[in-house]
Amino acid sequence: MKVTPLHPSLGAEIAGVDLSRPVDAPTREALGRALGEHLALVFHDQTLTPEQYLRAASVFGPPMEQHYSQHNMPDFPLIGLIWHRNGQQPAEAWHTDHTNRERPPAATILYGVEIPSAGGATSVASMRAAYDALPADEQRRLESLTTFNGLDGKPDTREEDRAKYGHLVEHPMVRTHPVHGSRAVYFHVSKTDHVSGMTPEASKPYLNGLLERMIRPEIIYQHRWRKGDVLVIDNRATMHRAHGDYDRAESRVLWRIIVEGDRPRLA
Ligand SMILES: [Fe+2]
């Protein structure tokens, strides 16, 4: 296994690992450490069945249910289909996944099955670097805040998903990475009902203002997809977004698996 950094802030390419085959214990451990350090891992030229993909994803944690179950692969409900032809819009706002869960995903894993000829990248921003760049008094302020997270009100959300995942879950706005030990800013604007001590109306402009200041080009790795890529994103210390700048006559199909992580905490 060879790890090659892709960008000064985050991202690394992993060579020498065939994810269609079982991954041995030392490699699993090395991959877990590499994810905590580099925050986004890229594997090229993978050919995976849904079963092989689920087994590979479990290297990073147990695959967990996704709450927009209307987009799940029919025979493999732990795999979500990202595809505009089933009515989804590319998620173009910066976010980290499924913050409305008590144990939100440690990682989001994407497998490039159909890739448009131009555009449609996925960008990942290091919220560890974002935290480090804040002035000390603002770091202290964010450390004193929590967010209350629910579903973000997509109109086609199924009733059963609303019932299971619609209640508010509180998380710290700065969390300590369980593997790396560093701190990162952690929130999801549209899943946040409110920030502690703020009204819902005041919370969203506050969070959007933070994003505008914090996410600068130098903390972003942009992944330009090739068919067969697997991109593993560390949700504990990054935010990501999709780029909708591709021709909708072409297809962009990503298979998504999220894997369970720890309960966010500030240590
Ligand atoms: Fe996402």
Side-chain angles (χ1 to χ4, degrees), residues 157-227:
T157 303
R158 286 178 171 162
E159 210 38 62
E160 68 203 67
D161 290 328
R162 282 185 209 281
K164 270 198 272 188
Y165 306 122
H167 63 281
L168 295 183
V169 173
E170 183 179 13
H171 292 308
M173 260 183 73
V174 176
R175 68 182 288 190
T176 302
H177 196 287
V179 177
H180 192 265
S182 55
R183 292 181 174 184
V185 179
Y186 183 74
F187 62 83
H188 184 313
V189 177
S190 61
K191 283 200 168 61
T192 297
D193 176 77
H194 64 281
V195 177
S196 53
M198 290 186 202
T199 62
E201 295 68 36
S203 297
K204 287 206 199 302
Y206 170 65
L207 295 178
N208 278 321
L210 272 177
L211 286 185
E212 245 164 67
R213 281 192 290 125
M214 286 189 308
I215 299 190
R216 296 159 293 113
E218 54 267 36
I219 68 165
I220 299 170
Y221 162 66
Q222 184 177 112
H223 184 67
R224 292 184 181 83
W225 285 95
R226 280 168 26 191
K227 184 177 160 62

Side-chain angles (χ1 to χ4, degrees), residues 1-4 13-24 27 31 42-46:
M1 171 178 143
K2 185 164 170 264
V3 182
T4 310
E13 182 185 328
I14 306 293
V17 178
D18 177 354
L19 295 175
S20 73
R21 304 174 58 80
V23 176
D24 62 32
T27 307
L31 286 172
V42 177
F43 302 77
H44 290 300
D45 302 317
Q46 302 292 320

Side-chain angles (χ1 to χ4, degrees), residues 82 91 93 95-98 108 110 188 233 235 240-242 256 258:
I82 294 176
H95 67 282
T96 174
D97 285 339
H98 283 54
T108 291
L110 300 170
H188 184 313
I233 299 169
N235 274 313
H240 60 272
R241 62 176 291 249
R256 176 171 82 165
I258 55 176

Side-chain angles (χ1 to χ4, degrees), residues 68-128:
Y68 296 121
S69 62
Q70 70 273 28
H71 301 312
N72 292 348
M73 199 181 273
D75 294 332
F76 295 91
L78 291 172
I79 302 178
L81 289 175
I82 294 176
W83 188 34
H84 68 262
R85 293 205 179 95
N86 63 9
Q88 293 169 83
Q89 299 294 327
E92 295 206 76
W94 289 105
H95 67 282
T96 174
D97 285 339
H98 283 54
T99 57
N100 57 318
R101 305 290 273 274
E102 284 190 9
R103 295 163 64 88
T108 291
I109 304 162
L110 300 170
Y111 174 42
V113 176
E114 288 184 62
I115 303 302
S117 55
T122 299
S123 281
V124 188
S126 169
M127 300 313 289
R128 173 184 293 161

